Amino acid sequence: MQGKFASFSEQEHRARLAQARGLLKEQGIDHCISVAPESLYYYGGYDSWVSVNSPQTLIFSVDESDPTIVLRDTDVSLALESSWVKDVRSYRMMFDDIPGTFAAVAREKGLRGGKVAIEIQSYAIPHSLGLALARALAPAEIVDATVLLGMPRLIKSAAEMAYLRKAGTYAQAGLDAARQVLKLGISEITLAGEIEHAMRAAGSDYWSIPTELASGDRSAGGHGTARERIIERGDIVHLEFAGVAARYHAAAIHTMAAGEPSKRARSVYDVGRASLAAGIREIRPGAKVSDIEEASLGPVRAAGLEHAAVMRFGYGLGVAYPPIWLEPLQISRGSDQIMQTGMVFVLHAYLQLVDEQLGIIQGGTYALTENGVEMLIGGGDVELEVV
């Protein structure tokens, strides 16, 4: 029975699961104990953030039998309201052997030895749980399936794109609020609060990463969150936050100035803007991600600021739960991935000058569609906005 708060049809989930089974079979893996909340949602429809606190899993084999969800008894109703999976089992925290319970279900599905896939890079499986699972599953060998189970998420369906566009409207509400509220004398925390309120009021679900906001002499902090700093005349203010629809994230990235900034700040921003535009021009189906980042660095090198470009140019975005929203697409040198139609990703040109207490970040969330690169939300390739 389809959960009343399901975001996708059972047929779409089953098609995704069939794809995952095919990928596992190609690697000689017959069983999977999926623990990442993104996977539980993507394949099983189960919507819950609590994996980092209470272990939960979607267990399946490569045959056509139905999967099983195992979770804490406190959360059974969450599976019933969101997931299509009929076999939902529970354990009691502090009393039941959780790894043993997971292993017992896997053995019901035929696991005896061989390989079993688990996303061992997920925050949902701390080292202690991983060790206990390895003991419970022996003599089966645990194989890391973090990337294998994550890769199918990179190409979005029409239904997924609809959620991403809706998420973009929520993030736009936050960006509009930032433009209206940013003024001299406001604190970073107050500004962040207004952004978050606007997104929630517009209908956004909760986001997986805190609102990142840094201004003035804090602007060199790329992942800085709001503090009780008062914004002063000429301050650079950079923002990164996401609107969320059905767990699909669309991140807005933008830098503004509270009053006329210094010439140096304008100059650095212009380099970042040129870097963003240069990278975007290289994005097309079949493009190498390494070539895209290399192109983005052209204007940065010309300005003598390559040392300040310390972030990768982009990464995949879609389904996410705390504490991160990144998917396994890396738009960066050092990766051999290829761009494909249907991918959704964050692009950001970031320059960090710690000695000058100055940093800018410009970009947003983009989709590679049949019509080219489409920006879903963000500041994008625009002149520095002064408010």
Side-chain angles (χ1 to χ4, degrees):
M1 180 177 179
Q2 188 79 31
K4 64 180 180 180
F5 289 107
S7 299
F8 298 94
S9 69
E10 179 177 335
Q11 290 73 22
E12 182 154 349
H13 285 299
R14 285 188 178 276
R16 296 170 180 177
L17 190 59
Q19 184 181 9
R21 283 172 161 151
L23 293 172
L24 289 166
K25 200 167 186 176
E26 288 175 3
Q27 298 298 317
I29 304 169
D30 292 328
H31 294 84
C32 181
I33 299 177
S34 176
V35 296
E38 299 83 6
S39 294
L40 270 65
Y41 178 79
Y42 186 76
Y43 296 109
Y46 174 44
D47 182 9
S48 170
W49 66 271
V50 302
S51 294
V52 294
N53 175 60
S54 305
Q56 47 194 9
T57 182
L58 179 74
I59 303 176
F60 60 94
S61 62
V62 296
D63 63 27
E64 296 303 315
S65 62
D66 279 354
T68 298
I69 289 176
V70 184
L71 41 64
R72 187 177 173 185
D73 51 7
T74 307
D75 302 313
V76 169
S77 64
L78 300 181
L80 298 180
E81 73 179 16
S82 61
S83 177
W84 63 273
V85 177
K86 299 173 182 63
D87 186 10
V88 177
R89 309 187 196 183
S90 66
Y91 63 83
R92 174 61 58 89
M93 181 74 83
M94 306 302 295
F95 292 93
D96 292 333
D97 175 7
I98 299 171
T101 300
F102 290 2
V105 173
R107 291 193 176 99
E108 282 183 31
K109 297 182 182 297
L111 177 67
R112 296 293 180 269
K115 299 176 180 179
V116 57
I118 302 178
E119 306 100 322
I120 62 174
Q121 297 178 53
S122 173
Y123 287 90
I125 185 163
H127 187 59
S128 58
L129 177 59
L131 291 175
L133 263 176
R135 290 193 295 268
L137 292 166
E141 175 193 356
I142 291 176
V143 177
D144 183 15
T146 308
V147 174
L148 185 148
L149 292 177
M151 291 302 286
R153 303 203 314 266
L154 298 187
I155 307 301
K156 282 19 181 211
S157 68
E160 290 177 289
M161 283 304 306
Y163 284 129
L164 282 156
R165 289 192 169 93
K166 182 181 288 187
T169 67
Y170 299 151
Q172 185 64 58
L175 198 53
D176 291 343
R179 291 180 170 120
Q180 294 167 8
V181 174
L182 178 58
K183 61 183 179 181
L184 306 184
I186 193 174
S187 72
E188 292 179 350
I189 286 179
T190 299
L191 177 58
E194 293 289 344
I195 292 169
E196 293 170 0
H197 172 74
M199 290 195 293
R200 277 300 214 176
S204 178
D205 198 354
Y206 66 93
W207 34 90
S208 297
I209 296 177
T211 297
E212 294 179 359
L213 190 161
S215 67
D217 57 11
R218 297 190 64 236
S219 63
H223 292 140
T225 54
R227 296 190 182 276
E228 294 179 354
R229 182 187 183 278
I230 302 301
I231 293 172
E232 302 174 351
R233 186 177 301 279
D235 278 352
I236 287 291
V237 183
H238 60 72
L239 313 161
E240 183 172 353
F241 53 85
V244 186
R247 301 314 311 152
Y248 284 79
H249 286 56
I253 297 175
H254 195 37
T255 292
M256 297 187 286
E260 183 60 31
S262 67
K263 290 183 179 180
R264 177 59 167 168
R266 272 195 174 277
S267 173
V268 171
Y269 177 88
D270 288 344
V271 173
R273 178 190 176 188
S275 171
L276 178 66
I280 290 173
R281 284 195 294 269
E282 294 301 311
I283 297 177
R284 63 185 62 87
K288 296 179 180 179
V289 294
S290 55
D291 290 344
I292 295 168
E293 182 172 78
E294 190 66 34
S296 77
L297 293 172
V300 176
R301 290 185 178 124
L305 291 175
E306 186 174 4
H307 66 284
V310 295
M311 283 189 182
R312 61 193 175 295
F313 186 59
Y315 55 82
L317 188 64
V319 176
Y321 287 88
I324 57 173
W325 63 43
L326 284 72
E327 289 191 331
L329 168 65
Q330 303 290 336
I331 304 176
S332 175
R333 293 164 297 169
S335 172
D336 60 0
Q337 291 175 290
I338 301 296
M339 298 302 295
Q340 301 178 59
T341 300
M343 286 181 166
V344 174
F345 40 88
V346 164
L347 299 176
H348 47 28
Y350 176 68
L351 296 172
Q352 173 183 285
L353 299 164
V354 176
D355 292 345
E356 298 182 44
Q357 296 182 310
L358 173 63
I360 67 96
I361 184 168
Q362 192 65 4
T365 299
Y366 299 79
L368 182 53
T369 73
E370 294 179 353
N371 298 318
V373 180
E374 172 191 347
M375 188 171 76
L376 302 181
I377 182 61
D381 175 15
V382 295
E383 292 185 5
L384 179 61
E385 188 172 354
V386 179
V387 298

